[in-house]
Amino acid sequence: MFAVIFRAKAGEQDASYAEMVGRMRDLAFSKYGCIDFIAVTEGEQEVAISYWPDEQAIQAWKNDPEHALAQQAGREKWYQSYTVQVVEVKREYSF
């Protein structure tokens, strides 16, 4: 299993942002096999972690045309900056 960690400094997040986030989340689950998605915001900082079965699913998601438009809007207006990390989950513990 792999995880994508998205860390961002928020910019102008309007109603179109909330709509796009919902659409992208639905697309990630329905078309690309996203396993789970968690996002939190504290002040200007946003952290989102999504879990994926493999790197191919992550790459397909990254290259999706609709997602590319969302990424462009993110760079132009919704975020001041962001960092994306792709990591492999080596172990998992639960309680």
Side-chain angles (χ1 to χ4, degrees), residues 42-62:
E42 183 177 316
E44 290 185 324
Q45 299 298 312
E46 177 181 328
V47 177
I49 304 172
S50 56
Y51 295 90
W52 303 83
D54 53 46
E55 287 184 279
Q56 293 79 13
I58 295 168
Q59 193 63 47
W61 164 243
K62 181 182 186 303

Side-chain angles (χ1 to χ4, degrees), residues 4-10 38 40 44-49 79-85:
V4 175
I5 304 167
F6 175 83
R7 297 179 58 209
K9 185 172 182 181
I38 301 155
V40 294
E44 290 185 324
Q45 299 298 312
E46 177 181 328
V47 177
I49 304 172
Y79 298 112
Q80 293 180 42
S81 62
Y82 65 80
T83 301
V84 177
Q85 298 170 310

Side-chain angles (χ1 to χ4, degrees), residues 15-29:
S16 64
Y17 170 78
E19 183 179 319
M20 183 65 80
V21 167
R23 172 69 185 133
M24 292 299 99
R25 185 182 183 118
D26 290 346
L27 186 64
F29 280 105

